[in-house]
Amino acid sequence: LAKHPEIKALMKPDYNLIWVVVLMVLAQLTAFYLVKDLDWKWVVFWAYVFGSCISHSMTLAIHEISHNSAFGNSKAMWNRWFGIFANLPLGLPYSISFKRYHMDHHRYLGGDGIDVDIPTNFEGWFFCTRFRKFIWIVLQPFFYAIRPLCINPKPITRLEVINLLAQLAFDVAVYYLWGVKSIFYMLAGSVLGLGLHPISGHFIAEHYMFLKGHETYSYYGPLNLLTFNVGYHNEHHDFPNIPGKSLPLVKKIAAEYYDNLPQYNSWIKVLYDFVMDDTISPYSRMKRQLKGEVKQD
């Protein structure tokens, strides 16, 4: 910032995010209606080909909202309510809990017992062969859901209860209006989209040490168009209050800080390399013993 103070001008809400999220919710509602009378094979097909992309993209919209990118820091609660709305087509409550744990990830990156993005010792010990690592990728959404309860359980908040009740009401409404195939499409899309899917390469690309000494990596490929530029991950951790839309400008302005860092151009290759490289496993993360006072959300 001392060298490039113009970056401060990028620290403002991205109001276009609001309309993009609304359109994504409407797209999924339309899909719920369209799949209700299809054969099961086509429900599964569209859940993976279309629903999974929208669902994973929506989790990254929720990531943006967790940083108050939709309405700004001055309207933090507006962002929380909007996150609950964005959560609806995923089928499972996610937004409020993600916000609480994700802020810890930024404050205490790699913090042992705090950053639940780090796999458990069991994951590192068991998923150590190529086949098991493949299964671990398939099951990633389950580990991301269960891991916080094992590593750093937190008391349930009022907003999390509201998130849960709103989600249950929405799911019941979808079932009542369009039936079990729409519910399956919704839930299967979320599970498939966060598991064995090209976009899921970002889970591993972001912080797994493929090169010793480098614990955060950026990806500059085309899938950033579907993921609100989450691939610009070094830039995001440097400036978490800058919306994803503006992260390419951060890289352009401060190119001398980012261009020479290790980077990816394919999340699919990241997934392949993770499975096939015997030196990489869920253990390949930097873990720190935190000192001093720890303040969690």
Side-chain angles (χ1 to χ4, degrees):
L1 285 177
K3 188 174 181 180
H4 298 288
E6 63 270 31
I7 288 177
K8 292 181 181 179
L10 304 177
M11 299 176 182
K12 58 184 179 181
D14 174 16
Y15 295 116
N16 289 330
L17 175 63
I18 300 169
W19 305 113
V20 171
V21 167
V22 169
L23 288 174
M24 290 169 69
V25 171
L26 292 176
Q28 279 294 70
L29 288 174
T30 302
F32 295 161
Y33 173 77
L34 292 175
V35 303
K36 66 184 179 69
D37 295 320
L38 295 180
D39 289 339
W40 277 106
K41 63 182 179 182
W42 290 111
V43 176
V44 174
F45 174 82
W46 287 114
Y48 188 78
V49 171
F50 183 76
S52 63
C53 295
I54 294 290
S55 292
H56 200 135
S57 184
M58 188 63 87
T59 66
L60 294 166
I62 290 172
H63 167 255
E64 287 284 291
I65 296 165
S66 75
H67 287 282
N68 294 335
S69 292
F71 296 98
N73 292 322
S74 64
K75 296 180 178 178
M77 280 305 299
W78 288 38
N79 289 283
R80 301 293 79 73
W81 294 117
F82 191 56
I84 291 173
F85 168 76
N87 195 150
L88 294 177
L90 296 179
L92 298 169
Y94 165 80
S95 178
I96 299 300
S97 295
F98 172 79
K99 155 74 176 175
R100 299 178 72 198
Y101 284 103
H102 188 64
M103 294 304 102
D104 293 339
H105 170 68
H106 275 273
R107 292 191 191 109
Y108 309 109
L109 180 63
D112 189 18
I114 302 295
D115 184 359
V116 299
D117 196 56
I118 296 177
T120 61
N121 287 329
F122 169 78
E123 291 171 73
W125 168 77
F126 185 78
F127 296 99
C128 56
T129 67
R130 293 179 180 182
F131 176 72
R132 291 179 185 180
K133 286 191 288 183
F134 175 81
I135 297 300
W136 184 78
I137 290 173
V138 172
L139 298 177
Q140 273 193 109
F142 299 101
F143 287 114
Y144 269 94
I146 296 170
R147 194 183 296 146
L149 303 177
C150 299
I151 295 178
N152 186 19
K154 297 185 178 185
I156 297 174
T157 66
R158 181 177 65 90
L159 277 177
E160 285 176 303
V161 173
I162 293 172
N163 193 175
L164 171 63
L165 294 177
Q167 192 63 59
L168 287 174
F170 179 81
D171 293 352
V172 169
V174 170
Y175 177 78
Y176 178 78
L177 289 171
W178 299 310
V180 69
K181 289 181 179 178
S182 296
I183 288 288
F184 176 86
Y185 166 88
M186 175 171 57
L187 297 175
S190 296
V191 173
L192 294 171
L194 296 170
L196 187 62
H197 195 280
I199 298 177
S200 291
H202 82 87
F203 288 133
I204 294 169
E206 289 166 359
H207 297 296
Y208 283 78
M209 290 194 295
F210 283 79
L211 293 175
K212 300 302 180 184
H214 294 275
E215 64 172 305
T216 302
Y217 301 79
S218 288
Y219 156 83
Y220 299 121
L223 289 178
N224 277 304
L225 295 173
L226 297 177
T227 59
F228 301 91
N229 288 328
V230 76
Y232 289 75
H233 217 67
N234 276 299
E235 296 85 346
H236 172 60
H237 272 268
D238 285 347
F239 301 102
N241 54 343
I242 293 180
K245 180 187 74 171
S246 298
L247 292 178
L249 287 176
V250 173
K251 182 179 184 295
K252 182 178 180 180
I253 292 169
E256 69 272 27
Y257 290 98
Y258 299 111
D259 284 353
N260 294 323
L261 294 176
Q263 56 190 252
Y264 299 112
N265 291 305
S266 171
W267 278 337
I268 295 176
K269 187 175 187 303
V270 168
L271 292 172
Y272 176 84
D273 289 346
F274 178 80
V275 172
M276 301 304 293
D277 188 337
D278 294 334
T279 67
I280 303 296
S281 75
Y283 270 140
S284 302
R285 291 288 298 265
M286 180 70 76
K287 183 183 284 191
R288 297 178 174 85
Q289 297 298 322
L290 298 176
K291 299 178 181 179
E293 185 179 5
V294 174
K295 296 181 179 180
Q296 302 183 63
D297 277 19

